[in-house]
Amino acid sequence: MDDFHVLIVGAGITGLLVAQALKKASEALEHPQANITYTIFEREDSAEAYRVRLWGLSIHWSSPLLKKILPEDLWSRIHEAQCDPHYKNPEVEHLNIYDGSTGDKLNDMPEPQHMRFNRSRMRAFCAQGIDVQYGKKVSSIVPSENGKTVTVSFADGSSVTGSLLVGADGTNSKVRHLLLGEEKAVAQTASTPDEPFVFTNHTVQYPKAEQALFLRQLHPTFYVGLHPDGAFFWLFSCWRGEAPANPRNALPELKAWTSKLVDPWKSAIEWLPDNEAVETQKIAYWDPVERDNWGGRVTLAGDAAHPMVPFRGQGLSHCIADVASLTAQLQAHLHESKPLADAINEYDAEVVARAGDEVKTSLQSMKFLMTWDLVEQSPSFTRSIDPNEAALKILGRS
Ligand SMILES: Cc1cc2nc3c(=O)[nH]c(=O)nc-3n(C[C@H](O)[C@H](O)[C@H](O)COP(=O)(O)OP(=O)(O)OC[C@H]3O[C@@H](n4cnc5c(N)ncnc54)[C@H](O)[C@@H]3O)c2cc1C
């Protein structure tokens, strides 16, 4: 049997985890029937270029899967990628939602496995030992006539052929568009003319240590404040309303909220320096559908397969579950002679059922959390942030 070569498009956390999982799987084999090899391509010119978009990423149930994917050495140092690398996670973490206008606690979510990563640090962490080809922006994909390979072409005129293409190229995935066509692949924006929302995400370093300590009083890395007027303040903020006068800087509109908030949200916003621009962000989602995968030669993973609104903090856990699910199917293909088409069909169907459920739940959660009378009916209160039934299967806990 020839080597099985996987082409991974996108060196975000998902693409890098696919590379780590394949590397670990191939190193574990003593007498491989076929070597699994991979190449990973990233449109940005360097690792530094994509580190500007920062936010914190909580994982609520997927740490056993992350442990399975990562080499032992990396897993033993996983705390290095956390928002606060010195924070010792207690056995059971309590993640709380508050009324931001009074400070009253509305919901307490006990979580035994919570970790909170810094996005850019997690990317750099997952890139260790992985050779990324930068400056490679996908422009087209073509199956071979015999159906045994797929060729990917890049904007710089180069191309490469492999056994399987994994599109891990994020929310507006080019691979998804090439596979499904514009109409079926396009992501929907969460803010609509009928229901306008403003999203901002801003990273700030407060100048005084006392300010940081004050803001960490409820929890060092995680707490949410909701407001009866339809707003959500976390490390990112969202409120109902028309687009700010200057979409590149919503600081005046964000500061206007301070008169309605109690601490620590009030001070966190008041202390933002007046000369810093707070950019607005487009938040989009795509409800995944089953699709033709060219006989198992092209598939999607991570946000490319299921971009979702970040109101339940579930995106990364589903990225991690995708990688675990895909690796298991590829191992069945290579070592148990499962036909590739069956393996990828099963993977795709599993992702659509598991992550598709969460795309819808997160959207519903966003709308309910932003509507005061419905807050307590939001899935974040009724279902907490536990894995759904399909995720329990991947975790082996069903
Ligand atoms: C504000 C915010 C808060 C969030 N909080 C949480 C949370 O608490 N918990 C959680 O689980 N999730 C959270 N998420 C979701 C989480 O960030 C994503 O699910 C996750 O980062 C997706 O990683 P990815 O690698 O799939 O995609 P990306 O990080 O988007 O990576 C895709 C990569 O593909 C590259 N690429 C794109 N197009 C091409 C192309 N044509 N050719 C080559 N390369 C290309 C991009 O440059 C990029 O490097 C949050 C999201 C947001 C916006």
Side-chain angles (χ1 to χ4, degrees), residues 9-15 41-44 50 53 55-60 116 119 123 136-139 154 168-175 201 222 234 236 281 283 301-304 308 310 312-319:
V9 170
I13 298 171
T14 305
F41 304 95
E42 168 58 47
R43 73 174 167 190
E44 299 288 358
Y50 63 35
R53 293 185 71 219
W55 53 80
L57 297 169
S58 285
I59 59 168
H60 306 283
R116 188 156 178 82
R119 184 177 185 236
R123 267 178 144 160
K136 295 286 179 187
K137 184 176 179 186
V138 167
S139 53
F154 301 96
D169 50 343
T171 300
N172 296 308
S173 168
K174 180 77 177 174
V175 175
N201 180 43
F222 186 108
W234 191 1
F236 71 94
Q281 210 179 342
I283 298 282
D303 276 14
M308 58 184 80
R312 281 166 45 80
Q314 295 284 321
L316 180 59
S317 283
H318 283 277
C319 300

Side-chain angles (χ1 to χ4, degrees), residues 61-72:
W61 47 263
S62 56
S63 57
L65 301 176
L66 186 58
K67 181 178 179 189
K68 225 183 207 179
I69 290 166
L70 287 174
E72 269 172 41

Side-chain angles (χ1 to χ4, degrees), residues 158-286:
S158 63
S159 61
V160 61
T161 296
S163 318
L164 170 70
L165 164 62
V166 181
D169 50 343
T171 300
N172 296 308
S173 168
K174 180 77 177 174
V175 175
R176 187 176 78 229
H177 280 77
L178 293 167
L179 195 61
L180 281 107
E182 180 65 25
E183 201 182 319
K184 282 189 181 163
V186 71
Q188 311 298 311
T189 53
S191 175
T192 62
D194 291 344
E195 234 182 333
F197 294 101
V198 181
F199 298 94
T200 68
N201 180 43
H202 187 64
T203 310
V204 60
Q205 193 165 13
Y206 297 100
K208 295 185 192 147
E210 304 85 74
Q211 290 176 309
L213 286 172
F214 181 79
L215 297 176
R216 287 164 61 110
Q217 61 186 285
L218 293 177
H219 189 278
T221 57
F222 186 108
Y223 51 86
V224 172
L226 301 177
H227 195 279
D229 289 353
F232 179 105
F233 296 94
W234 191 1
L235 299 176
F236 71 94
S237 311
C238 171
W239 60 88
R240 286 183 179 275
E242 299 302 327
N246 174 4
R248 308 287 310 257
N249 187 10
L251 188 63
E253 287 83 357
L254 182 57
K255 285 217 167 177
W257 279 97
T258 54
S259 59
K260 299 182 180 185
L261 290 166
V262 296
D263 273 324
W265 300 276
K266 181 179 166 65
S267 295
I269 298 172
E270 257 170 9
W271 291 340
L272 287 173
D274 287 330
N275 60 354
E276 275 198 30
V278 173
E279 288 218 9
T280 57
Q281 210 179 342
K282 278 199 182 112
I283 298 282
Y285 64 93
W286 183 73

